[in-house]
Amino acid sequence: MGVIEIGSVNKSFKVQSYRAGIGSRLFSFMRPKYNEVHVLSDINCEIHQGDILSLIGPNGAGKSTLLKILSRITAPTTGRAEITGKVASLLEV
């Protein structure tokens, strides 16, 4: 058993956008529309005591989202992320 275990973690967000619509009196208005954005898809990893892990990737790859899940700032949509011991996180945006 590892110190950090990530099993089938998925994370999605609902992002609000606006689209133009026509009202009953023929005037335009903005109607909210929600799109689901998949940020993490089926992440699996086991990290043992003494291991070193680096998360490298382009902007928008989900690195900060994975760290927020491990820090229990946000929950995964599906899957599990378990940490044995204490967690201290420092996330900079």
Side-chain angles (χ1 to χ4, degrees), residues 12-18 32-38:
S12 307
F13 293 103
K14 289 185 179 179
V15 178
Q16 185 177 11
S17 62
Y18 289 90
K33 179 182 177 184
Y34 296 93
N35 295 320
E36 191 166 356
V37 178
H38 300 281

Side-chain angles (χ1 to χ4, degrees), residues 46-89:
E46 186 172 329
I47 302 163
H48 299 277
Q49 186 171 355
D51 288 351
I52 297 172
L53 173 70
S54 296
L55 297 177
I56 302 171
N59 291 345
K63 302 177 297 290
S64 295
T65 302
L66 181 58
L67 290 174
K68 287 178 184 179
I69 290 171
L70 291 174
S71 300
R72 297 181 186 102
I73 294 171
T74 186
T77 304
T78 60
R80 62 180 180 81
E82 297 177 5
I83 297 178
T84 304
K86 295 182 179 182
V87 175
S89 61

